[in-house]
Amino acid sequence: GAGVSQSPSNKVTEKGKDVELRCDPISGHTALYWYRQSLGQGLEFLIYFQGNSAPDKSGLPSDRFSAERTGGSVSTLTIQRTQQEDSAVYLCASRLAQNRNEKLFFGSGTQLSVL
Amino acid sequence: ILNVEQSPQSLHVQEGDSTNFTCSFPSSNFYALHWYRWETAKSPEALFVMTLNGDEKKKGRISATLNTKEGYSYLYIKGSQPEDSATYLCASQWSNYKLTFGKGTLLTVNP
């Protein structure tokens, strides 16, 4: 596609429910990131995928969070048993990752609200 | 934990004013410094990616400088316009893929 696509754009859920967020990166981009921005905070790194390498999951805040990237393309971020503190904008970004000074291309994000 | 600081946190200027913001980052393990503009209801969009000490980049009325030895970058906007209103994010890239973002500077340009 022309850009990074994320869905849904908004998600309202009840505490304790599971949610799944989707990211479709730019075709050919081997690197994919998930970030989140909570109110008043900076962009917080969650997870990084690069080609067939093992993902860097060091930013996932708890074991309720998991992510997959199938076929080196689409990624899903799953949050189980959502809590109110999970409310944030979840951003996905992709990158060609052939040189060190490449920019990230971001999606427009998913605004998650946990009631 | 890598700490990236941006100042000011927010800024209100009048149309036509020139302005600048600061991004401070640890100078060790430096790979690149990124600047992004994030307008409300849109995706963050890359402005610049800089790698060399002393780098200066320009895009229209916006320019940026980089000092990797002392760990800071300045973003300048000349003759601010209302459409420049956005959050400006900087990120320090400290490995071949890891970036740490600052909290951003929220710029509001009043007509």
Side-chain angles (χ1 to χ4, degrees), chain A residues 29-101:
Chain A
H29 280 195
T30 59
L32 186 148
Y33 300 76
W34 282 98
Y35 286 91
R36 74 174 176 182
Q37 185 175 44
S38 305
L39 199 61
Q41 302 300 313
L43 283 180
E44 176 189 4
F45 168 77
L46 297 177
I47 189 168
Y48 170 79
F49 295 92
Q50 169 60 54
N52 295 320
S53 303
D56 179 343
K57 303 180 182 181
S58 60
L60 294 179
S62 78
D63 59 8
R64 295 186 296 105
F65 287 72
S66 62
E68 288 184 343
R69 189 179 184 192
T70 52
S73 181
V74 172
S75 177
T76 54
L77 177 70
T78 301
I79 310 173
Q80 294 179 308
R81 305 180 303 282
T82 51
Q83 303 295 310
Q84 287 182 334
E85 62 263 27
D86 300 334
S87 296
V89 175
Y90 288 80
L91 283 171
C92 173
S94 71
R95 188 168 169 240
L96 195 55
Q98 289 182 350
N99 298 299
R100 85 179 204 188
N101 60 343

Side-chain angles (χ1 to χ4, degrees), chain B residues 24-43:
Chain B
S24 302
F25 55 90
S27 51
S28 58
N29 297 327
F30 177 81
Y31 269 61
L33 193 285
H34 297 232
W35 281 102
Y36 293 84
R37 174 170 59 201
W38 193 2
E39 296 179 64
T40 304
K42 293 187 177 179
S43 314

